[in-house]
Amino acid sequence: MIRIITADQYETCRPLLRQMFRLRYRVFKERLGWDVETVGDEERDQFDRLDPTYILVLNEDDDVTACWRLLPTTGPNMLRDVFSHLLVDRPVPDAPGTWECSRFAVDCESDGDNCLANLNRVTSELFCGLISHCLRQDVDEVVTVYDIRIGRILPRVGCTPRWRTKPQRIGNFSALAGLFDINNDVLATVMENAGFSSLIEHDPYHLEPLTGLPSLGGPIHTGVPTHAH
Amino acid sequence: MSRRNGAIGAAVEDYLGYLRGKPSLEEVEVRLVDLVENYGFGHFAYTVVRPPRTREVIGFLKQYKEGAIARTNYSHDWIEHYDEQDYLFVDPILKTAWLTCCPFRWDQLDEGENLSRQEKEMLGDARAAGMKSGITIPLHGPEQGLAALSLTSDMSSEALDACWHECRVDLFTVAAYTHEKILESATRPSEGADVHLSSRELECLKWTAEGKTTWEVSKILNLSQDTTRFYLREATRKFGVHSKHHAVVKAIAAGLIAP
């Protein structure tokens, strides 16, 4: 299930966000051994303080199995402020219709042998969540810095970059920057490749605020999953 | 007022004893009016600024305008004027009640340049309406609620000076116990706040609220993953929602889990 968390929902989604930060700790700090900022058992950096949107994939237990972080390119973002050298001569993306994705992480340890199949499926779901969210926000391009290993699964997912840079060594991995077109055709291709007939997206607007005025005794809204298509 | 080694006044002790005898709120009001009159205050207003998070107000208290819930013996004219002027949104007394835990005097608010023109106007109107001196006792909590007991008098500022030092501790005590009595008798759990969770369901939800996955909760509580899943689904069902994270939000709103 896809779950989009925008900054206005951080309050009600703290448990999910904590799961996500802990997932990122396990992936980036423990598994990949990156030099990342941590707070206890959570991995968080300065870009998480800029009210990014998070795209999450939840499993049947409503636990976070994959995440992605989305920031507009018109403000601070990782490609512009940390990895701009990857772009060499290309201009740094900076447009309202172009957003930047970072901190792609998938928790595939818990699925043992099915790790790769799971990785493909969850990646597809994450892309679908990203694309459908971007379409709603009139975003038609996404840039991201990614590991060449992730680059290998992208064709299978159905996402090929319009352009990509040469990979460069960053610490203990090779990374490149790529720009992806976002449109209905891409969404259809990703869904088809993954064998998805519909997307299950949790509708967050049925959640109530954690604090504030007490309930006025209105009807209880239910968070029935809605089908985006 | 006679004192026993710095204890509260005998009249206050009597009042607290009276409250313990389970009188009706109408009876309490009569006693309260009597009591505060002895301290020189002819009128009172008990205002619920925000009810406790999981409770709603019933009976006794009157809903004046949107958001204003109170019991008062202020003059009808003043209440009408207050309503007409939309003073609820201006009132520096209620604003101050949010900011302090201690009783305060209205004339202290008007010192210096702290107040806006509208706020000064409101206090001026109150004085003109016969409330020459006023004090307010903020009542914070439980459950993030806020009420305020205001007492007004036609005594001069100098007369208030004389009684302020003596009376505020007594009146603070009176206000706190009266507040408790009103909450007990004039509020009830709001809809959704009466969901009963088993201790296991609650434990599972608490750890979920901490950002633990079902698998992690099962390890922490030494349960099987299926059992943990069962407790979480039961809790989710009881709140009438469809995800455990929504159940966490409901449980926090109901005061079952600390935010």
Side-chain angles (χ1 to χ4, degrees):
Chain A
M1 182 168 58
I2 299 159
R3 185 77 159 87
I4 314 281
I5 298 179
T6 48
D8 57 309
Q9 302 158 39
Y10 287 178
E11 273 293 298
T12 45
C13 296
R14 254 178 302 175
L16 277 172
L17 293 176
R18 291 189 64 177
Q19 278 196 20
M20 178 195 67
F21 289 128
R22 293 174 58 237
L23 164 65
R24 279 171 35 178
Y25 182 95
R26 292 197 300 278
V27 170
F28 298 117
K29 174 87 177 173
E30 295 185 338
R31 199 160 77 209
L32 300 174
W34 290 6
D35 181 22
V36 286
E37 263 180 68
T38 58
V39 183
D41 60 356
E42 299 179 4
E43 184 270 305
R44 283 188 258 166
D45 67 11
Q46 79 259 31
F47 297 102
D48 292 303
R49 289 190 281 272
L50 300 172
D51 290 347
T53 294
Y54 297 101
I55 317 278
L56 307 180
V57 174
L58 309 184
N59 64 13
E60 303 73 32
D61 282 328
D62 275 331
D63 292 325
V64 180
T65 53
C67 61
W68 222 344
R69 181 177 64 190
L70 199 51
L71 281 163
T73 54
T74 49
N77 62 78
M78 293 201 85
L79 180 58
R80 187 191 87 174
D81 301 303
V82 184
F83 298 121
S84 61
H85 59 280
L86 287 173
L87 292 166
V88 193
D89 292 331
R90 279 179 198 280
V92 178
D94 178 359
T98 310
W99 281 8
E100 193 242 24
C101 275
S102 54
R103 290 291 191 264
F104 171 92
V106 177
D107 185 14
C108 58
E109 276 168 351
S110 54
D111 285 69
D113 294 343
N114 289 326
C115 185
L116 193 63
N118 190 42
L119 182 68
N120 286 341
R121 187 184 57 74
V122 169
T123 305
S124 299
E125 234 180 311
L126 211 48
F127 264 91
C128 289
L130 170 72
I131 297 166
S132 53
H133 181 67
C134 286
L135 288 173
R136 286 193 292 264
Q137 305 291 323
D138 288 329
V139 171
D140 52 17
E141 291 174 342
V142 161
V143 285
T144 185
V145 173
Y146 54 103
D147 194 316
I148 47 167
R149 283 171 296 184
I150 300 298
R152 271 180 224 128
I153 65 169
L154 291 180
R156 253 171 293 163
V157 167
C159 272
T160 41
R162 193 202 307 165
W163 56 254
R164 61 180 179 204
T165 65
K166 281 210 174 76
Q168 286 184 33
R169 194 102 199 127
I170 296 171
N172 58 3
F173 68 107
S174 278
L176 63 153
L179 181 137
F180 298 82
D181 287 308
I182 300 295
N183 53 50
N184 283 311
D185 293 343
V186 176
L187 181 61
T189 308
V190 175
M191 285 177 67
E192 199 185 318
N193 284 10
F196 296 157
S197 55
S198 67
L199 296 178
I200 299 189
E201 218 174 307
H202 187 86
D203 184 352
Y205 295 101
H206 284 137
L207 289 179
E208 292 160 348
L210 273 186
T211 50
L213 293 170
S215 160
L216 297 172
I220 296 170
H221 295 290
T222 53
V224 181
T226 54
H227 294 265
H229 290 271
Chain B
M1 252 9 92
S2 63
R3 300 268 155 171
R4 282 174 281 112
N5 301 326
I8 50 170
V12 176
E13 284 288 12
D14 283 352
Y15 178 74
L16 301 188
Y18 181 73
L19 290 185
R20 280 194 293 274
K22 302 201 185 310
S24 72
L25 288 177
E26 285 73 16
E27 290 167 331
V28 171
E29 184 180 10
V30 174
R31 279 294 283 253
L32 178 71
V33 169
D34 232 35
L35 180 66
V36 298
E37 212 156 20
N38 287 336
Y39 288 86
F41 297 96
H43 291 88
F44 81 98
Y46 172 86
T47 309
V48 177
V49 185
R50 183 165 81 179
R53 204 178 37 209
T54 70
R55 301 187 75 82
E56 61 191 19
V57 169
I58 45 161
F60 185 70
L61 297 164
K62 195 174 156 194
Q63 177 99 39
Y64 282 92
K65 234 184 170 177
E66 271 175 85
I69 303 165
R71 183 82 177 190
T72 180
N73 63 358
Y74 283 173
S75 77
H76 186 72
D77 286 352
W78 171 247
I79 293 171
E80 219 162 58
H81 182 66
Y82 191 93
D83 253 13
E84 270 166 20
Q85 299 293 315
D86 273 336
Y87 276 154
L88 181 65
F89 302 101
V90 175
D91 202 334
I93 295 156
L94 298 181
K95 191 173 94 183
T96 306
W98 279 112
L99 304 175
T100 178
C101 292
C102 300
F104 57 89
R105 291 167 57 164
W106 295 5
D107 54 357
Q108 286 169 343
L109 299 181
D110 216 355
E111 286 166 5
E113 294 301 310
N114 298 326
L115 298 185
S116 71
R117 188 185 48 80
Q118 284 172 307
E119 290 171 329
K120 280 177 182 290
E121 217 173 83
M122 194 222 109
L123 288 180
D125 280 4
R127 272 191 299 272
M131 296 181 259
K132 283 194 189 127
S133 289
I135 68 167
T136 292
I137 300 147
L139 298 155
H140 290 273
E143 290 189 277
Q144 294 165 17
L146 174 66
L149 179 68
S150 294
L151 302 171
T152 65
S153 161
D154 55 6
M155 70 173 110
S156 66
S157 211
E158 293 72 33
L160 183 61
D161 280 341
C163 92
W164 172 245
H165 184 71
E166 272 281 290
C167 77
R168 65 189 160 160
V169 174
D170 281 5
L171 293 176
F172 192 60
T173 308
V174 167
Y177 280 86
T178 308
H179 178 52
E180 183 89 354
K181 171 76 187 168
I182 294 173
L183 288 182
E184 190 185 289
S185 308
T187 68
R188 66 169 174 220
S190 43
E191 205 185 320
D194 51 358
V195 167
H196 295 285
L197 299 180
S198 74
S199 58
R200 277 305 202 191
E201 288 160 3
L202 193 60
E203 260 180 320
C204 289
L205 269 194
K206 273 183 187 164
W207 284 112
T208 303
E210 292 295 313
K212 304 295 185 197
T213 63
T214 300
W215 181 82
E216 287 166 334
V217 174
S218 75
K219 292 293 156 207
I220 291 165
L221 298 178
N222 202 17
L223 300 167
S224 78
Q225 220 172 320
D226 279 340
T227 307
T228 309
R229 208 170 273 142
F230 170 79
Y231 287 133
L232 285 168
R233 284 191 183 149
E234 273 301 289
T236 305
R237 184 187 61 76
K238 284 181 180 178
F239 282 110
V241 297
H242 293 271
S243 104
K244 65 181 180 185
H245 298 292
H246 197 170
V248 166
V249 172
K250 288 279 187 188
I252 290 170
L256 299 172
I257 297 180

PDB file of all heavy atoms in Angstrom, chain B residues 229-243:
ATOM      1  N   ARG B 229      -0.421  -9.222  15.928  1.00  0.00           N
ATOM      2  CA  ARG B 229      -1.274  -8.766  14.843  1.00  0.00           C
ATOM      3  C   ARG B 229      -2.740  -8.772  15.293  1.00  0.00           C
ATOM      4  O   ARG B 229      -3.488  -7.853  15.028  1.00  0.00           O
ATOM      5  CB  ARG B 229      -1.085  -9.734  13.668  1.00  0.00           C
ATOM      6  CG  ARG B 229      -1.319  -9.139  12.314  1.00  0.00           C
ATOM      7  CD  ARG B 229      -0.859 -10.101  11.239  1.00  0.00           C
ATOM      8  NE  ARG B 229       0.551  -9.966  10.918  1.00  0.00           N
ATOM      9  CZ  ARG B 229       1.364 -11.002  10.644  1.00  0.00           C
ATOM     10  NH1 ARG B 229       0.913 -12.240  10.703  1.00  0.00           N
ATOM     11  NH2 ARG B 229       2.623 -10.782  10.360  1.00  0.00           N
ATOM     12  N   PHE B 230      -3.100  -9.841  16.028  1.00  0.00           N
ATOM     13  CA  PHE B 230      -4.483  -9.980  16.517  1.00  0.00           C
ATOM     14  C   PHE B 230      -4.847  -8.817  17.450  1.00  0.00           C
ATOM     15  O   PHE B 230      -5.877  -8.183  17.290  1.00  0.00           O
ATOM     16  CB  PHE B 230      -4.648 -11.331  17.225  1.00  0.00           C
ATOM     17  CG  PHE B 230      -5.960 -11.467  17.960  1.00  0.00           C
ATOM     18  CD1 PHE B 230      -7.133 -11.758  17.270  1.00  0.00           C
ATOM     19  CD2 PHE B 230      -6.017 -11.275  19.334  1.00  0.00           C
ATOM     20  CE1 PHE B 230      -8.338 -11.869  17.936  1.00  0.00           C
ATOM     21  CE2 PHE B 230      -7.232 -11.374  20.009  1.00  0.00           C
ATOM     22  CZ  PHE B 230      -8.396 -11.672  19.316  1.00  0.00           C
ATOM     23  N   TYR B 231      -3.953  -8.540  18.421  1.00  0.00           N
ATOM     24  CA  TYR B 231      -4.241  -7.446  19.368  1.00  0.00           C
ATOM     25  C   TYR B 231      -4.380  -6.108  18.639  1.00  0.00           C
ATOM     26  O   TYR B 231      -5.265  -5.306  18.934  1.00  0.00           O
ATOM     27  CB  TYR B 231      -3.133  -7.349  20.425  1.00  0.00           C
ATOM     28  CG  TYR B 231      -3.160  -8.464  21.445  1.00  0.00           C
ATOM     29  CD1 TYR B 231      -1.994  -9.142  21.781  1.00  0.00           C
ATOM     30  CD2 TYR B 231      -4.351  -8.834  22.071  1.00  0.00           C
ATOM     31  CE1 TYR B 231      -2.010 -10.163  22.719  1.00  0.00           C
ATOM     32  CE2 TYR B 231      -4.377  -9.860  23.003  1.00  0.00           C
ATOM     33  CZ  TYR B 231      -3.207 -10.521  23.327  1.00  0.00           C
ATOM     34  OH  TYR B 231      -3.226 -11.524  24.248  1.00  0.00           O
ATOM     35  N   LEU B 232      -3.498  -5.873  17.684  1.00  0.00           N
ATOM     36  CA  LEU B 232      -3.536  -4.605  16.959  1.00  0.00           C
ATOM     37  C   LEU B 232      -4.814  -4.491  16.130  1.00  0.00           C
ATOM     38  O   LEU B 232      -5.425  -3.429  16.042  1.00  0.00           O
ATOM     39  CB  LEU B 232      -2.301  -4.461  16.070  1.00  0.00           C
ATOM     40  CG  LEU B 232      -1.016  -4.126  16.837  1.00  0.00           C
ATOM     41  CD1 LEU B 232       0.209  -4.290  15.951  1.00  0.00           C
ATOM     42  CD2 LEU B 232      -1.078  -2.701  17.383  1.00  0.00           C
ATOM     43  N   ARG B 233      -5.229  -5.612  15.543  1.00  0.00           N
ATOM     44  CA  ARG B 233      -6.455  -5.585  14.726  1.00  0.00           C
ATOM     45  C   ARG B 233      -7.675  -5.367  15.609  1.00  0.00           C
ATOM     46  O   ARG B 233      -8.597  -4.658  15.224  1.00  0.00           O
ATOM     47  CB  ARG B 233      -6.584  -6.880  13.922  1.00  0.00           C
ATOM     48  CG  ARG B 233      -5.626  -6.846  12.755  1.00  0.00           C
ATOM     49  CD  ARG B 233      -5.859  -7.948  11.746  1.00  0.00           C
ATOM     50  NE  ARG B 233      -4.820  -7.843  10.726  1.00  0.00           N
ATOM     51  CZ  ARG B 233      -4.321  -8.866  10.053  1.00  0.00           C
ATOM     52  NH1 ARG B 233      -4.785 -10.073  10.272  1.00  0.00           N
ATOM     53  NH2 ARG B 233      -3.381  -8.663   9.150  1.00  0.00           N
ATOM     54  N   GLU B 234      -7.660  -5.988  16.794  1.00  0.00           N
ATOM     55  CA  GLU B 234      -8.770  -5.808  17.733  1.00  0.00           C
ATOM     56  C   GLU B 234      -8.883  -4.323  18.137  1.00  0.00           C
ATOM     57  O   GLU B 234      -9.961  -3.746  18.123  1.00  0.00           O
ATOM     58  CB  GLU B 234      -8.553  -6.661  18.995  1.00  0.00           C
ATOM     59  CG  GLU B 234      -9.090  -8.071  18.857  1.00  0.00           C
ATOM     60  CD  GLU B 234     -10.585  -8.087  18.557  1.00  0.00           C
ATOM     61  OE1 GLU B 234     -11.383  -7.755  19.453  1.00  0.00           O
ATOM     62  OE2 GLU B 234     -10.947  -8.399  17.409  1.00  0.00           O
ATOM     63  N   ALA B 235      -7.743  -3.734  18.490  1.00  0.00           N
ATOM     64  CA  ALA B 235      -7.735  -2.321  18.897  1.00  0.00           C
ATOM     65  C   ALA B 235      -8.231  -1.447  17.747  1.00  0.00           C
ATOM     66  O   ALA B 235      -9.021  -0.527  17.938  1.00  0.00           O
ATOM     67  CB  ALA B 235      -6.328  -1.906  19.317  1.00  0.00           C
ATOM     68  N   THR B 236      -7.790  -1.767  16.540  1.00  0.00           N
ATOM     69  CA  THR B 236      -8.184  -1.006  15.360  1.00  0.00           C
ATOM     70  C   THR B 236      -9.695  -1.123  15.139  1.00  0.00           C
ATOM     71  O   THR B 236     -10.383  -0.134  14.878  1.00  0.00           O
ATOM     72  CB  THR B 236      -7.420  -1.527  14.125  1.00  0.00           C
ATOM     73  OG1 THR B 236      -6.017  -1.463  14.414  1.00  0.00           O
ATOM     74  CG2 THR B 236      -7.712  -0.696  12.890  1.00  0.00           C
ATOM     75  N   ARG B 237     -10.195  -2.349  15.310  1.00  0.00           N
ATOM     76  CA  ARG B 237     -11.630  -2.595  15.137  1.00  0.00           C
ATOM     77  C   ARG B 237     -12.440  -1.817  16.175  1.00  0.00           C
ATOM     78  O   ARG B 237     -13.445  -1.196  15.855  1.00  0.00           O
ATOM     79  CB  ARG B 237     -11.898  -4.094  15.279  1.00  0.00           C
ATOM     80  CG  ARG B 237     -13.348  -4.510  15.024  1.00  0.00           C
ATOM     81  CD  ARG B 237     -13.574  -5.978  15.358  1.00  0.00           C
ATOM     82  NE  ARG B 237     -13.322  -6.308  16.766  1.00  0.00           N
ATOM     83  CZ  ARG B 237     -14.129  -6.028  17.769  1.00  0.00           C
ATOM     84  NH1 ARG B 237     -15.262  -5.390  17.540  1.00  0.00           N
ATOM     85  NH2 ARG B 237     -13.820  -6.354  19.021  1.00  0.00           N
ATOM     86  N   LYS B 238     -11.957  -1.830  17.428  1.00  0.00           N
ATOM     87  CA  LYS B 238     -12.705  -1.162  18.493  1.00  0.00           C
ATOM     88  C   LYS B 238     -12.868   0.339  18.233  1.00  0.00           C
ATOM     89  O   LYS B 238     -13.850   0.939  18.627  1.00  0.00           O
ATOM     90  CB  LYS B 238     -12.012  -1.378  19.849  1.00  0.00           C
ATOM     91  CG  LYS B 238     -12.230  -2.782  20.405  1.00  0.00           C
ATOM     92  CD  LYS B 238     -11.554  -2.955  21.737  1.00  0.00           C
ATOM     93  CE  LYS B 238     -11.773  -4.357  22.275  1.00  0.00           C
ATOM     94  NZ  LYS B 238     -11.077  -4.557  23.565  1.00  0.00           N
ATOM     95  N   PHE B 239     -11.890   0.933  17.601  1.00  0.00           N
ATOM     96  CA  PHE B 239     -11.999   2.365  17.288  1.00  0.00           C
ATOM     97  C   PHE B 239     -12.785   2.599  15.997  1.00  0.00           C
ATOM     98  O   PHE B 239     -12.997   3.740  15.590  1.00  0.00           O
ATOM     99  CB  PHE B 239     -10.612   2.998  17.170  1.00  0.00           C
ATOM    100  CG  PHE B 239      -9.964   3.287  18.501  1.00  0.00           C
ATOM    101  CD1 PHE B 239      -8.869   2.563  18.927  1.00  0.00           C
ATOM    102  CD2 PHE B 239     -10.472   4.271  19.334  1.00  0.00           C
ATOM    103  CE1 PHE B 239      -8.276   2.821  20.155  1.00  0.00           C
ATOM    104  CE2 PHE B 239      -9.882   4.533  20.556  1.00  0.00           C
ATOM    105  CZ  PHE B 239      -8.785   3.802  20.968  1.00  0.00           C
ATOM    106  N   GLY B 240     -13.159   1.526  15.337  1.00  0.00           N
ATOM    107  CA  GLY B 240     -13.917   1.666  14.096  1.00  0.00           C
ATOM    108  C   GLY B 240     -13.099   2.250  12.963  1.00  0.00           C
ATOM    109  O   GLY B 240     -13.617   2.965  12.120  1.00  0.00           O
ATOM    110  N   VAL B 241     -11.806   1.966  12.946  1.00  0.00           N
ATOM    111  CA  VAL B 241     -10.941   2.487  11.888  1.00  0.00           C
ATOM    112  C   VAL B 241     -10.287   1.324  11.149  1.00  0.00           C
ATOM    113  O   VAL B 241     -10.512   0.159  11.483  1.00  0.00           O
ATOM    114  CB  VAL B 241      -9.874   3.458  12.453  1.00  0.00           C
ATOM    115  CG1 VAL B 241     -10.553   4.676  13.058  1.00  0.00           C
ATOM    116  CG2 VAL B 241      -8.988   2.777  13.484  1.00  0.00           C
ATOM    117  N   HIS B 242      -9.492   1.644  10.141  1.00  0.00           N
ATOM    118  CA  HIS B 242      -8.993   0.575   9.279  1.00  0.00           C
ATOM    119  C   HIS B 242      -7.479   0.445   9.245  1.00  0.00           C
ATOM    120  O   HIS B 242      -6.951  -0.277   8.423  1.00  0.00           O
ATOM    121  CB  HIS B 242      -9.533   0.764   7.857  1.00  0.00           C
ATOM    122  CG  HIS B 242     -11.009   0.579   7.788  1.00  0.00           C
ATOM    123  ND1 HIS B 242     -11.592  -0.653   7.566  1.00  0.00           N
ATOM    124  CD2 HIS B 242     -12.026   1.451   7.975  1.00  0.00           C
ATOM    125  CE1 HIS B 242     -12.908  -0.523   7.602  1.00  0.00           C
ATOM    126  NE2 HIS B 242     -13.194   0.753   7.842  1.00  0.00           N
ATOM    127  N   SER B 243      -6.789   1.198  10.088  1.00  0.00           N
ATOM    128  CA  SER B 243      -5.350   0.977  10.147  1.00  0.00           C
ATOM    129  C   SER B 243      -4.882   1.182  11.582  1.00  0.00           C
ATOM    130  O   SER B 243      -5.483   1.957  12.338  1.00  0.00           O
ATOM    131  CB  SER B 243      -4.610   1.897   9.181  1.00  0.00           C
ATOM    132  OG  SER B 243      -3.982   2.958   9.869  1.00  0.00           O
TER     133      SER B 243
END
